[in-house]
């Protein structure tokens, strides 16, 4: 192997230090855009080149995603001057879950035939086996939202299993029921994979021998590991591995999954002989962007103190914050600005709209559509509202009630009569006894009816629509495939009408094409690890970003006891929201546009903090704008059962004002939940359209009552 790293003059002294430190445990504190991935890969290459007796199979590298793993493998091969990936042999580079699956599959016969439940399949599984899983033991009815709540309870119990002796007997029984229900049907979920891997490490000599052969462990995005994952990492280090962790506590954005920034902060206290390297130079962002990010994040108290500096001093930044009269005006202005940026040479795919809440994506999409600007988004809203989703649903309905006229009315505008008849005959044969998977039925109909026609103007849309519905149907059949066809049809139609849009709301049915020049629209969480020339951050008002904690039933309300006492472990606070804003800002290389409408809420505190940077252009009067609510004189009688506010007010007036604010925030939230609930169901139940109209005329008390009755708040 040829070592060409010393000749790379672009490396900073700190990067060289991290690459060359291969004998001690290493903690790399890497600011945004500091080139951490390049440093990691070169360090691994350096180990293989210079450390006698170390082979690729003696190295394990954990990444946060499989995409990141693929990128790292290619970088390692490049650093080694390898022509292909075979030169890195049996090195494991991948996610922690993938590592645990590999370990269980190789060393434990019990789990070799187990299937993995992802988020959607977990919901379907619990819905089907709600009694066996223990939902009723927690006094939860099998409503969709309660299924999600139940799975949150299960996840938190698994994560806290070491402390099971502090739980109630009922809680232990529920978790054991859930695990037995999964295992009896040869299923396992992602969290249980880690639990079982740790059990094998602690009890199986073969597994311990395997761990002893791991001499180097690298953990990327270490700030996002939870306590259960940290326990696995510690076991590997304890077995003799040199450990290198890389991360930035300022970018801990998955606290709702149990990510613990303290793992990063206290690393040197828990591991021996730790050498620390700080990568504080950001090569991605212009100095102005770096300054704004620093002005915001320094308000956090629980952090490793660091000073990010710009290494891209040649870039000139445009950083603006602008006020608009309403939401439509705000997003239309964003679309107009994007068009202007494109005219001066910025590709669409170098522009991103990053949102705090997924529901905001629809407004961005609508504005770009009106302007004819191409875009890509992970939101599935367009799929469920598209031209073909309802047609596929009607096609499935036909299997329960053979109605040729209804089917023809649905498809006549795009399918010729002769081909339609061929498709109908196929459906009729399925209804009369062909017990095929649901996806095969839909694909068979589309093939017979010549729906998949490459000459059609919307051929790509047709293909995406068919593949999308097939994916949903396959997920459903994974859990319900043993049911009779008529029962599956009834069940899947209910699922499509009430749950599917929510379950797949951030699933991209359209494959990503890196060559397509299109604006990227996504949540801030999805943007982690990405970079763009220009970033738009819309809806920067109080309660939107930082997001407000509206209330409602949470896992700790169900479990109580120690889980309620330790709820802060999974609850985000203002500091966590600030980290998320910091991540959003540091995705921008050169241009950053903050936008907001000041009609009902003041501007976000993060805009105010950004304003301490002289690089930010804005109307300073926006910072003091504090709109008076139209309902200011109303003192509510409603009070949430799950009151989170505990501070003592300074006066009776302040208490009344706080109650008014919380009340109307709850009403607003409840109304949006009702619109989502009935709007989704309206696809399949026309009567729900009437309910949508009724909601507009309801008063606040009726809105709260109806939302509570449907378990939406």
């Amino acid at each position: 192997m040829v070592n060409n790293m010393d000749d790379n003059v672009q490396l900073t002294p700190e990067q060289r230090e991290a690459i060359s430190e291969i004998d001690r445990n290493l903690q790399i504190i890497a600011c945004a855009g500091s080139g951490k991935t390049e440093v990691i890969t070169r360090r691994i290459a350096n180990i293989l080149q210079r450390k006698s007796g170390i082979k690729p199979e003696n190295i394990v590298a954990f990444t946060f995603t499989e995409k990141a793993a693929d990128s790292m493998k290619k970088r390692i091969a490049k650093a080694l001057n390898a022509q292909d990936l075979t030169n890195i042999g049996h090195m494991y580079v991948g996610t922690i879950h993938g590592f645990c699956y590999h370990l269980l599959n190789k060393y434990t016969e019990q789990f070799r035939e187990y299937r993995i439940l992802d988020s959607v399949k977990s919901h379907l599984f619990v819905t089907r086996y709600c009694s066996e899983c223990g939902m009723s033991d927690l006094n939860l009815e099998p409503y969709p939202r309660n299924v999600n709540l139940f799975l949150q309870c299960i996840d938190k119990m698994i994560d806290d299993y070491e402390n099971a002796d502090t739980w109630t007997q009922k809680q232990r029984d529920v978790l054991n029921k859930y695990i037995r229900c999964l295992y009896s049907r040869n299923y396992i979920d992602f969290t249980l994979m880690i639990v079982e891997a740790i059990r094998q490490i602690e009890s199986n000599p073969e597994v311990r021998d395997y761990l002893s052969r791991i001499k180097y462990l690298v953990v990327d995005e270490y700030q996002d590991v939870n306590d259960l994952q940290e326990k696995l990492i510690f076991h590997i280090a304890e077995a003799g591995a040199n450990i290198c962790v890389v991360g930035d506590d300022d970018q801990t954005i998955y606290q709702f999954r149990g990510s613990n920034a303290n793992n990063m902060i206290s690393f040197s206290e828990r591991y021996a002989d730790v050498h620390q390297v700080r990568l504080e130079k950001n090569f991605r962002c212009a100095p102005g962007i770096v300054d704004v990010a620093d002005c915001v994040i320094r308000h956090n108290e629980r952090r490793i103190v660091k000073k990010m500096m710009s290494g891209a001093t040649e870039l000139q930044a445009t950083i603006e914050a602008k006020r608009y009269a309403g939401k439509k005006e705000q997003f239309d202005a964003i679309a107009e600005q994007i068009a202007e940026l494109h005219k001066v040479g910025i590709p669409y795919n170098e522009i991103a709209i990053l949102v705090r809440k997924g529901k905001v994506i629809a407004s961005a999409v609508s504005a770009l559509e009106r302007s004819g600007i191409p875009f890509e988004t992970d939101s599935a809203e367009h799929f469920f509202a598209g031209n073909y989703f309802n047609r596929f649903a009607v096609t499935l309905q036909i299997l329960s009630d053979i109605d040729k006229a209804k089917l023809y009315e649905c498809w006549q505008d795009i399918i010729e009569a002769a081909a339609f008849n061929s498709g109908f005959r196929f459906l009729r044969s399925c209804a009369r006894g062909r017990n095929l998977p649901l996806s095969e039925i839909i694909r068979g109909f589309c093939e017979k009816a010549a729906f998949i026609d490459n000459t059609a103007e919307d051929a790509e849309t047709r293909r995406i629509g068919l593949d999308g519905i097939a994916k949903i149907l396959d997920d459903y059949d994974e859990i319900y495939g043993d049911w009779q066809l008529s029962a599956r049809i009834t069940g899947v139609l209910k699922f499509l009408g009430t749950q599917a849009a929510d379950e797949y709301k951030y699933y991209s049915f359209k494959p990503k094409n890196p060559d397509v020049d299109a604006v990227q629209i996504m949540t801030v969480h999805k943007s982690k690890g990405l970079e763009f020339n220009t970033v738009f951050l819309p809806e920067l008002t109080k309660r939107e970003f930082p997001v407000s904690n509206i209330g409602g039933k949470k896992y700790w309300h169900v479990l109580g006891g120690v889980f309620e006492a330790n709820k802060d472990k999974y609850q985000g606070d203002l500091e966590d929201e600030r980290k998320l804003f910091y991540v959003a800002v540091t995705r921008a290389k050169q241009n950053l546009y903050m936008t907001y409408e000041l009609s009902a809420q003041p501007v976000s505190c993060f805009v105010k903090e950004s304003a301490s940077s002289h690089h930010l252009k804005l109307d300073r009067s926006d910072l003091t704008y504090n709109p008076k609510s139209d309902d200011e004189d109303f003192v509510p009688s409603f009070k949430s059962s799950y009151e989170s506010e505990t501070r003592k007010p300074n006066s009776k007036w302040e208490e009344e004002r706080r109650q008014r604010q919380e009340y109307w925030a709850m009403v607003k939230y409840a109304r949006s939940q009702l619109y989502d609930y009935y709007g989704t169901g309206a696809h399949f139940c026309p009567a729900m359209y009437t309910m949508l109209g009724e909601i507009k005329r309801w008063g606040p008390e009726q809105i709260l009552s109806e939302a509570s009755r449907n378990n939406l708040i």
Side-chain angles (χ1 to χ4, degrees):
M1 299 178 186
V2 179
N3 180 8
N4 64 349
M5 291 183 294
D6 292 337
D7 298 328
N8 193 336
V9 295
Q10 295 181 345
L11 293 175
T12 68
E14 293 79 16
Q15 290 174 325
R16 290 179 182 274
E17 182 183 357
I19 292 168
S20 57
E21 181 51 76
I22 59 177
D23 294 317
R24 291 182 290 177
N25 291 327
L26 179 62
Q27 180 186 26
I28 303 176
I29 300 170
C31 291
S34 60
K36 65 179 178 65
T37 305
E38 186 70 14
V39 169
I40 295 170
T41 56
R42 287 179 175 272
R43 182 176 183 270
I44 292 173
N46 194 34
I47 292 168
L48 290 171
Q49 291 171 329
R50 296 185 177 180
K51 206 69 179 175
S52 176
I54 298 298
K55 300 177 181 178
E57 55 263 38
N58 301 132
I59 300 175
V60 169
F62 290 153
T63 60
F64 202 67
T65 64
E66 290 297 342
K67 183 179 178 181
D70 291 338
S71 175
M72 185 175 290
K73 290 175 185 175
K74 293 174 181 177
R75 286 174 179 252
I76 293 171
K78 182 180 178 182
L80 293 170
N81 284 337
Q83 296 302 309
D84 55 60
L85 299 182
T86 58
N87 288 324
I88 63 175
H90 301 287
M91 182 189 308
Y92 178 83
V93 182
T95 65
I96 292 177
H97 293 106
F99 177 83
C100 292
Y101 180 79
H102 164 75
L103 187 148
L104 293 174
N105 191 58
K106 185 173 182 179
Y107 293 102
T108 58
E109 186 175 349
Q110 175 190 352
F111 296 103
R112 286 173 187 166
E113 303 301 321
Y114 277 31
R115 293 164 290 177
I116 302 172
L117 288 179
D118 60 18
S119 175
V120 174
K121 293 174 188 174
S122 289
H123 281 71
L124 289 167
F125 184 90
V126 172
T127 302
R128 176 173 181 180
Y129 302 107
C130 55
S131 296
E132 290 181 64
C133 285
M135 272 192 72
S136 58
D137 295 0
L138 293 179
N139 299 317
L140 292 172
E141 298 294 325
Y143 302 126
R145 292 181 182 276
N146 275 355
V147 169
N148 183 58
L149 182 58
F150 174 76
L151 284 169
Q152 289 179 29
C153 292
I154 292 295
D155 188 61
K156 303 309 182 283
M157 284 192 286
I158 294 174
D159 195 39
D160 193 56
Y161 195 71
E162 274 193 337
N163 304 313
D165 57 339
T166 66
W167 305 356
T168 65
Q169 187 59 48
K170 179 189 286 188
Q171 290 165 353
R172 289 191 287 270
D173 290 344
V174 167
L175 181 58
N176 289 331
K177 271 189 175 183
Y178 173 77
I179 293 173
R180 282 198 303 270
C181 190
L182 255 65
Y183 288 3
S184 65
R185 294 168 175 85
N186 289 351
Y187 285 111
I188 192 169
D189 65 25
F190 286 112
T191 307
L192 281 172
M193 277 199 298
I194 302 177
V195 172
E196 295 295 349
I198 291 173
R199 284 180 178 172
Q200 292 299 319
I201 290 170
E202 295 173 345
S203 62
N204 189 331
E206 279 191 282
V207 176
R208 289 199 298 272
D209 179 64
Y210 166 69
L211 288 193
S212 70
R213 298 196 294 272
I214 301 174
K215 302 304 180 183
Y216 286 89
L217 172 66
V218 178
V219 185
D220 193 15
E221 304 290 359
Y222 183 65
Q223 78 280 347
D224 286 325
V225 303
N226 60 33
D227 290 346
L228 194 60
Q229 295 166 336
E230 167 59 20
K231 186 176 180 180
L232 175 74
I233 292 166
F234 188 83
H235 274 302
I236 298 173
E238 202 173 35
N242 170 287
I243 180 170
C244 168
V245 298
V246 189
D248 180 9
D249 58 299
D250 288 335
Q251 299 185 70
T252 308
I253 62 173
Y254 295 102
Q255 72 288 338
F256 57 91
R257 298 178 183 170
S259 299
N260 189 350
N262 192 58
N263 288 329
M264 191 74 188
I265 295 170
S266 64
F267 179 79
S268 60
E269 300 171 12
R270 292 176 291 110
Y271 291 86
D273 194 22
V274 174
H275 181 66
Q276 188 183 89
V277 176
R278 294 172 178 248
L279 305 180
E280 296 178 314
K281 186 169 284 189
N282 180 319
F283 297 96
R284 173 193 304 150
C285 307
I289 303 288
V290 169
D291 188 56
V292 168
D294 187 67
C295 285
V296 174
I297 201 63
R298 68 189 180 196
H299 285 81
N300 277 2
E301 296 179 359
R302 304 188 306 272
R303 63 187 292 254
I304 298 172
V305 179
K306 61 188 82 67
K307 177 64 177 177
M308 183 169 59
M309 302 168 287
S310 176
T313 54
E314 75 283 356
L315 295 179
Q316 297 296 314
T318 298
I319 310 170
E320 296 179 353
K322 288 186 177 181
R323 174 186 72 249
Y324 296 95
K327 183 171 293 193
K328 183 178 182 298
E329 290 82 358
Q330 179 184 179
F331 285 97
D332 282 347
I334 289 173
E336 185 178 344
Q337 183 67 58
I338 290 172
E340 291 299 317
L341 291 168
H342 188 65
K343 286 180 182 178
V344 297
I346 299 177
Y348 285 129
N349 60 13
E350 277 290 322
I351 302 172
I353 302 174
L354 307 183
V355 302
R356 175 62 182 91
K357 299 178 179 179
K359 67 179 184 180
V360 178
I361 289 176
S363 298
V365 166
S366 297
L368 267 56
E369 283 183 330
R370 287 193 296 270
S371 300
I373 296 172
F375 63 89
E376 286 195 339
T377 176
D378 285 336
S379 171
E381 181 174 335
H382 265 51
F383 173 81
F384 290 102
N387 189 29
Y388 296 115
F389 176 74
N390 286 344
R391 300 184 195 233
F392 293 134
V394 170
T395 305
L396 289 170
Q397 286 179 315
I398 300 301
L399 296 172
S400 301
D401 181 18
I402 301 296
D403 188 335
K404 187 176 182 181
K406 183 178 180 180
L407 185 68
Y408 184 71
E409 183 182 359
C410 179
W411 290 101
Q412 63 178 331
D413 59 324
I414 58 172
I415 293 178
E416 294 181 359
F420 169 82
N421 287 328
S422 178
F424 177 73
R425 286 194 295 272
F426 173 79
L427 288 181
R428 189 168 56 188
S429 72
C430 294
R432 291 176 176 175
R434 296 183 63 178
N435 197 26
L436 296 173
L438 297 175
S439 62
E440 288 190 25
I441 292 173
I442 289 294
R443 288 190 181 279
F445 169 79
C446 289
E447 181 181 347
K448 299 290 185 183
F451 173 73
I452 304 301
D453 184 356
N454 292 328
T455 63
E457 289 185 8
D458 64 341
E460 180 68 8
T461 303
R462 294 188 183 196
R463 184 188 63 78
I464 293 171
L466 178 57
D467 289 348
I469 194 69
K471 158 68 177 170
I472 296 173
L473 297 178
D474 281 337
D475 285 347
Y476 186 86
D477 265 351
E478 171 75 24
I479 307 301
Y480 290 95
D482 58 327
W483 282 16
Q484 293 294 321
L485 180 62
S486 59
R488 280 188 288 144
I489 292 296
T490 301
V492 81
L493 288 173
K494 182 180 178 182
F495 177 69
L496 293 174
T498 60
Q499 286 181 257
D502 189 57
E503 294 285 0
Y504 294 93
K505 60 183 175 183
Y506 298 134
Y507 185 89
S508 180
F509 293 101
K510 181 181 179 181
K512 290 272 186 178
N513 186 348
D515 298 325
V516 173
D517 190 23
V519 176
Q520 305 298 301
I521 309 174
M522 67 188 75
T523 63
V524 180
H525 283 99
K526 288 276 189 176
S527 74
K528 184 75 179 294
L530 304 177
E531 60 183 45
F532 305 92
N533 174 277
T534 301
V535 167
F536 289 86
L537 300 180
E539 294 289 274
L540 294 183
T541 57
K542 184 180 179 182
R543 290 197 171 93
E544 294 296 322
F545 200 171
V547 68
S548 60
N549 186 16
I550 299 296
K553 205 171 192 180
K554 304 291 195 321
Y555 76 89
W556 63 81
H557 299 131
V558 178
L559 297 175
V562 295
F563 293 96
E564 185 166 16
N566 297 320
K567 65 182 181 182
D568 288 345
K569 178 179 177 181
Y570 301 96
Q571 268 292 93
D573 57 15
L574 183 60
E575 290 207 359
D576 293 310
E577 287 290 297
R578 187 174 283 112
K579 292 175 183 178
L580 195 59
F581 186 82
Y582 173 83
V583 167
V585 169
T586 54
R587 298 313 93 192
K589 293 188 286 187
Q590 196 163 356
N591 301 316
L592 177 65
Y593 296 95
M594 308 179 196
T595 65
Y596 41 86
E597 49 175 314
L598 298 183
S599 56
Q601 297 292 334
V603 72
S604 167
C605 60
F606 302 146
V607 176
K608 295 179 180 180
E609 292 166 4
S610 300
S612 63
S613 170
H614 70 275
H615 295 279
L616 176 64
K617 299 177 183 177
L618 83 165
D619 185 342
R620 296 268 164 182
S621 66
D622 293 351
L623 304 179
T624 55
Y625 179 79
N626 190 18
K628 184 177 180 180
S629 171
D630 293 337
D631 304 295
E632 192 89 43
D633 296 328
F634 181 82
V635 179
S637 60
F638 175 85
K639 188 173 177 65
S640 173
S641 302
Y642 306 104
E643 181 62 68
S644 61
E645 182 66 63
T646 59
R647 71 180 179 87
K648 201 169 183 179
N650 295 326
S651 67
K652 182 180 178 182
W653 178 87
E654 185 179 343
E655 169 66 6
E656 291 179 353
R657 182 174 180 272
R658 181 182 65 78
Q659 287 187 18
R660 285 194 297 270
Q661 289 175 337
E662 290 180 352
Y663 177 82
W664 290 110
M666 179 66 77
V667 172
K668 181 181 179 182
Y669 177 74
R671 184 187 286 112
S672 70
Q673 294 294 90
L674 287 169
Y675 278 135
D676 288 346
Y677 179 74
Y678 287 110
T680 302
H683 288 303
F684 303 97
C685 181
M688 287 192 174
Y689 279 118
T690 305
M691 291 298 295
L692 288 172
E694 289 294 321
I695 294 170
K696 295 179 180 179
R697 293 187 288 271
W698 286 351
E701 294 294 333
Q702 190 172 0
I703 287 172
L704 292 170
S705 175
E706 183 70 12
S708 180
R709 187 179 70 82
N710 286 290
N711 204 41
L712 301 177
I713 59 173

